């Protein structure tokens, strides 16, 4: 209950800007980030902070499950995008914070290879995921003057995502979200990267979260955007940013 109250206060309180700076938050993420993007942008605008992201939102909205346009897709695609961005001269002028997430596309399992004994069943195997995240950090370090923040992958509910009404050729499992988040936590902790627990925050918003197999109701997206804005502002203002708390296996 205390955690839920804390989350409610964070959502209800607009981010406080301590100084005026022409900084911008740049987002690279999957369809979840496309949905919370308008809320994040509006919250940042209240404090005269810019918002930018991987381009192509309209293209991505045609099919949120297909990683095109603004949808960054899996970690291999995100790494490729950041490498190409760096080779082309870097992030847009004014970028102060780069927020990145990938994971939901990495854990996709082809229905034909859904046997848990098949260790090659994931779109991006977990060790490749780890290597990709380490490479992403190396590339991001080359963006001079830009702070890097990692956003933990949001959960899926197996019964909803993998039910008959989903009708996709692939599955996702909550246990895999936890495993891949655990790898990301370790990589980011070792590198000293601040981590935003969007996974835990979202689960704290109540039982009725999903509007479909993986995406969230509009009021959930609104809360996510404002929560991320508050956290991103702390990076801009160089306030202390809490490291993610990883639940123990017994939780």
């Amino acid at each position: 209950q205390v955690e839920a109250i804390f989350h409610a206060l964070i959502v209800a309180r607009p981010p406080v800007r301590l100084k005026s700076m022409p900084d911008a938050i740049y987002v690279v993420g999957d369809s979840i980030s496309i949905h919370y993007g308008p809320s994040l942008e509006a919250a940042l605008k209240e404090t005269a902070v810019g918002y930018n992201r991987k381009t192509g939102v309209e293209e991505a909205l045609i099919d949120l499950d297909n990683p095109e346009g603004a949808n960054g897709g899996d970690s291999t695609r995100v790494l490729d995008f950041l490498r190409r961005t760096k080779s082309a001269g870097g992030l847009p002028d004014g970028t102060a914070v780069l927020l990145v997430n990938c994971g939901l596309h990495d854990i996709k399992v082809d229905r034909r290879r859904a046997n848990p004994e098949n260790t090659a069943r994931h779109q991006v195997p977990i060790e490749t995921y780890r290597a990709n995240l380490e490479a992403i950090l190396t590339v991001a370090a080359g963006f001079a003057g830009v702070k890097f923040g990692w956003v933990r992958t949001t959960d899926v509910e197996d019964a909803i995502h993998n039910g008959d009404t989903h009708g996709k050729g692939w599955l996702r499992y909550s246990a895999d979200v936890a495993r891949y988040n655990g790898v990301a936590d370790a990589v980011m902790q070792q590198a000293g990267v601040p981590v935003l627990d969007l996974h835990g925050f979202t689960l704290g918003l109540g039982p009725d979260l999903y509007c479909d197999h993986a995406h969230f109701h509009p009021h959930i997206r609104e809360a996510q955007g404002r929560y991320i804005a508050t956290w991103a502002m702390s990076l801009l203002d160089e306030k202390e940013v809490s490291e993610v708390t990883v639940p123990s296996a017994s939780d």
Side-chain angles (χ1 to χ4, degrees):
Q1 289 183 334
V2 172
E3 184 178 10
I5 293 172
F6 171 75
H7 285 160
L9 290 173
I10 288 289
V11 171
R13 185 187 67 196
V16 177
R17 191 74 172 122
L18 300 182
K19 53 186 176 182
S20 178
M21 295 174 62
D23 295 328
I25 309 298
Y26 192 96
V27 175
V28 179
D30 55 28
S31 56
I32 304 301
S33 71
I34 293 172
H35 269 170
Y36 66 61
S39 173
L40 173 58
E41 182 177 14
L44 293 173
K45 186 177 181 180
E46 293 175 3
T47 58
V49 173
Y51 168 84
N52 207 341
R53 68 167 302 121
K54 185 176 184 293
T55 59
V57 170
E58 289 187 3
E59 181 183 0
L61 287 172
I62 294 172
D63 182 359
L64 288 172
D65 293 316
N66 185 27
E68 298 293 340
N71 188 334
D74 64 31
S75 59
T76 300
R77 292 176 64 98
V78 169
L79 174 58
D80 178 67
F81 169 75
L82 291 176
R83 282 174 169 164
R84 287 187 286 108
T85 298
K86 188 172 184 296
S87 296
L91 294 167
D93 291 343
T95 300
V97 174
L98 171 62
L99 295 183
V100 175
N101 165 264
C102 46
L104 280 178
H105 287 271
D106 297 78
I107 68 170
K108 286 164 69 173
V109 175
D110 190 308
R111 285 180 182 265
R112 296 168 297 180
R113 297 189 294 164
N115 186 337
E117 299 302 319
N118 183 357
T119 58
R121 64 196 181 114
H122 298 99
Q123 179 164 307
V124 177
I126 197 164
E127 287 307 317
T128 304
Y129 182 68
R130 180 191 300 274
N132 284 345
L133 296 192
E134 292 171 346
I136 285 170
L137 292 180
T138 299
V139 176
F143 297 129
V146 177
K147 299 177 181 179
F148 184 89
W150 176 257
V151 180
R152 297 184 88 219
T153 298
T154 52
D155 207 3
V156 296
E157 189 170 327
D158 293 3
I160 294 175
H161 188 286
N162 302 331
D164 293 338
T165 57
H166 177 27
K168 298 288 183 180
W170 36 264
L171 310 168
R172 290 188 180 102
Y173 297 96
S174 180
D176 286 331
V177 173
R179 290 174 60 237
Y180 280 62
N181 268 338
V183 165
D185 293 340
V187 170
M188 301 305 157
Q189 183 177 28
Q190 183 174 9
V193 170
V195 176
L196 175 67
D197 189 9
L198 187 63
H199 175 277
F201 171 77
T202 303
L203 289 178
L205 293 176
D208 183 18
L209 299 174
Y210 300 99
C211 67
D212 60 14
H213 58 288
H215 304 101
F216 301 102
H217 291 303
H219 69 281
I220 301 297
R221 306 171 202 170
E222 172 72 19
Q224 290 172 328
R226 298 197 69 84
Y227 179 63
I228 295 168
T230 300
W231 186 81
M233 297 298 294
S234 70
L235 290 181
L236 282 177
D237 292 325
E238 298 182 344
K239 296 187 291 186
E240 181 179 355
V241 180
S242 299
E243 294 294 331
V244 63
T245 300
V246 183
S248 66
S250 61
D251 289 345

